[in-house]
Amino acid sequence: MTMSDRYGVAIEQAGDLLRWRSPLRAELWASRFVAEFDADGGDEEAFGELLEGASGQEAALVAAALSAVGTPVRAADPGPEWLARLGDVTCESAWYGKADPYGEQVLAALTFRYRNGKEPHTVVVAIDQVNGGIAVDVAVEEPKFLDDLCLSPADPALVAGRILEAFSLLDMLLGAPVADTLPPLRALTLTRARSIPAHLANTRTQPAKDPGHPAVAQTRPTDHPAQPADAQTRPTQDPGQPVHTQTRPTGDPAHPDVPAQAPHIPPAEARSAPTDDPAGSDHAQSRPADEVAQTGGTTAGFRAPDLSEFSELADVPGAAEAYRVLVEFVGDRDLWWSPARVSAFLTVWLPREATLSREAIEAMPEVVRAWTRRVADEPAIHEQIDADAPGLAARMADESLAGLRKTLTQRRQPEE
């Protein structure tokens, strides 16, 4: 398609959008247009020059819509007054939680409304924890969509930071498979997340804890917290085949007769190559995103509960030392707690990375059980702990399993 043809299509679709007088429809159209334009290797500068020399309301809408989703261009005419509302939104609430029983995917949601009080909408991003915390799907829905989920209220700035980081990590992986619905909504999602300042005032969401905090009460109950009405199962390496949310993106605003399509989130093993750390430890994988600076340099960090909150561990010798190591392993992906991750912690990560006292090694299974009861009290996880715990002491004593850092630390200890 030539640049002239592309411009003609944009003007024709803009004519349809003018009849709707909907800022949200215009921004959704622009986000999809940017994705298609980039995929085809379009020349933004040349397209911008065509717009700058054009008059008419259609050109004005195209320019305003593209500018609202992060591609600043200008047209000769200002267009109708409602175009000034494009991008002028306020974040009303933020939500965060699991998309499946084991937290292999999490959902980060931000709800917005235009400043005139119209067109409330929620941006929901599915983040894959197993493959490093990358964004794998996006939906833009009415706020009532959250009623089908079981998410916790969260600080909007922290949720926005986590969304931006998820997209930044995705950009580091060439060709990472994602849902077909992500690219058309990428520009709008990033613009929405970047619009949120580090500290929001007058928001409806006033959480007491960070979004990942396991003690935050789930405030949108369903029959199963990880199984919304339109969820579908997908194969995983864990027993129990956790349910992964199928989000429902808004239909094409320029063609309202086309129904919205439920995206297919690829299986974990098909989305991207596994990370180098089979245990998924954040201390080894997590990297700050450049875009997080847009939210004041804050990511959606995890604040572990105090050990004193686990009354069952109060009289267990070595529990404090074991708990500190567990928190280090969990990192800021605390909602991801599956049989596979537990097994990797007990059989791979601890022998490779941790230097523990005898009391801490003996206490570790009880500490892991207490953590499991708090964050993901699933039978399959407890069964995995029972299977892997008996051999922990022997694995910790096996020097052939120790990593370089642990080996060097142990060699220095006698000198210190």
Side-chain angles (χ1 to χ4, degrees):
M1 182 182 295
T2 67
M3 188 63 64
S4 178
D5 291 339
R6 191 183 301 277
Y7 176 78
V9 170
I11 294 299
E12 180 181 355
Q13 293 177 348
D16 294 335
L17 290 165
L18 282 170
R19 289 191 288 272
W20 285 97
R21 297 177 60 85
S22 166
L24 181 57
R25 284 180 178 271
E27 290 186 64
L28 287 167
W29 169 83
S31 187
R32 191 191 76 245
F33 183 84
V34 168
E36 295 173 351
F37 194 83
D38 291 343
D40 293 340
D43 187 339
E44 291 185 7
E45 184 175 350
F47 188 83
E49 290 176 355
L50 286 175
L51 274 179
E52 287 183 4
S55 60
Q57 294 187 346
E58 292 83 357
L61 185 147
V62 172
L66 291 176
S67 298
V69 297
T71 302
V73 290
R74 294 180 298 176
D77 295 334
E81 60 83 20
W82 66 268
L83 294 183
R85 296 200 298 272
L86 270 66
D88 189 14
V89 296
T90 300
C91 181
E92 295 192 322
S93 63
W95 305 84
Y96 192 83
K98 295 180 181 180
D100 61 80
Y102 299 136
E104 291 183 319
Q105 284 187 10
V106 295
L107 299 178
L110 296 168
T111 296
F112 298 88
R113 187 185 299 268
Y114 287 88
R115 292 191 186 274
N116 66 348
K118 305 294 185 180
E119 295 192 285
H121 55 282
T122 299
V123 179
V124 184
V125 179
I127 300 174
D128 189 312
Q129 302 289 72
V130 177
N131 290 303
I134 63 173
V136 292
D137 198 6
V138 179
V140 177
E141 291 286 344
E142 296 181 0
K144 67 181 181 180
F145 179 64
L146 294 174
D147 294 340
D148 292 333
L149 308 176
C150 193
L151 306 181
S152 301
D155 183 332
L158 296 181
V159 174
R162 188 157 278 188
I163 289 173
L164 291 171
E165 184 177 41
F167 275 94
S168 179
L169 292 170
L170 175 62
D171 291 342
M172 297 178 187
L173 299 177
L174 295 177
V178 298
D180 292 341
T181 45
L182 184 146
L185 294 172
R186 174 190 172 93
L188 176 67
T189 301
L190 291 176
T191 303
R192 287 292 189 269
R194 289 167 176 159
S195 72
I196 298 175
H199 302 286
L200 282 181
N202 301 321
T203 179
R204 294 181 184 177
T205 303
Q206 298 294 337
K209 296 181 174 68
D210 290 339
H213 198 297
V216 174
Q218 302 260 331
T219 58
R220 293 183 176 269
T222 60
D223 292 338
H224 192 294
Q227 300 184 24
D230 56 343
Q232 297 182 6
T233 56
R234 69 170 176 82
T236 69
Q237 58 187 341
D238 290 337
Q241 291 188 319
V243 175
H244 288 247
T245 304
Q246 287 280 9
T247 50
R248 301 165 297 180
T250 303
D252 188 339
H255 303 281
D257 294 332
V258 179
Q261 299 294 319
H264 169 66
I265 299 179
E269 57 269 25
R271 279 194 297 271
S272 64
T275 56
D276 292 335
D277 189 349
S281 164
D282 280 283
H283 102 98
Q285 295 178 20
S286 181
R287 293 181 297 273
D290 293 340
E291 290 135 309
V292 169
Q294 298 289 342
T295 59
T298 303
T299 58
F302 161 62
R303 183 175 65 248
D306 190 85
L307 181 61
S308 62
E309 298 181 32
F310 297 87
S311 58
E312 65 268 48
L313 300 177
D315 298 324
V316 178
E321 180 184 353
Y323 183 68
R324 285 194 298 270
V325 172
L326 174 61
V327 169
E328 177 189 359
F329 169 80
V330 168
D332 66 357
R333 282 184 272 170
D334 59 295
L335 296 184
W336 173 26
W337 199 242
S338 65
R341 197 179 192 202
V342 167
S343 183
F345 176 62
L346 292 173
T347 65
V348 178
W349 193 87
L350 279 175
R352 187 186 67 199
E353 301 290 343
T355 301
L356 296 173
S357 66
R358 178 175 57 82
E359 290 80 6
I361 293 173
E362 293 175 353
M364 186 60 76
E366 287 308 310
V367 170
V368 174
R369 290 188 181 98
W371 179 267
T372 300
R373 286 191 291 270
R374 189 170 188 118
V375 301
D377 200 10
E378 298 285 338
I381 301 179
H382 289 285
E383 292 172 5
Q384 193 67 53
I385 297 171
D386 293 340
D388 293 334
L392 178 60
R395 289 189 295 271
M396 295 298 292
D398 188 345
E399 295 183 358
S400 68
L401 300 178
L404 179 60
R405 185 179 67 167
K406 178 176 177 179
T407 300
L408 294 176
T409 299
Q410 290 176 331
R411 289 178 179 176
R412 285 197 300 266
Q413 282 179 341
E415 301 175 2
E416 296 173 358

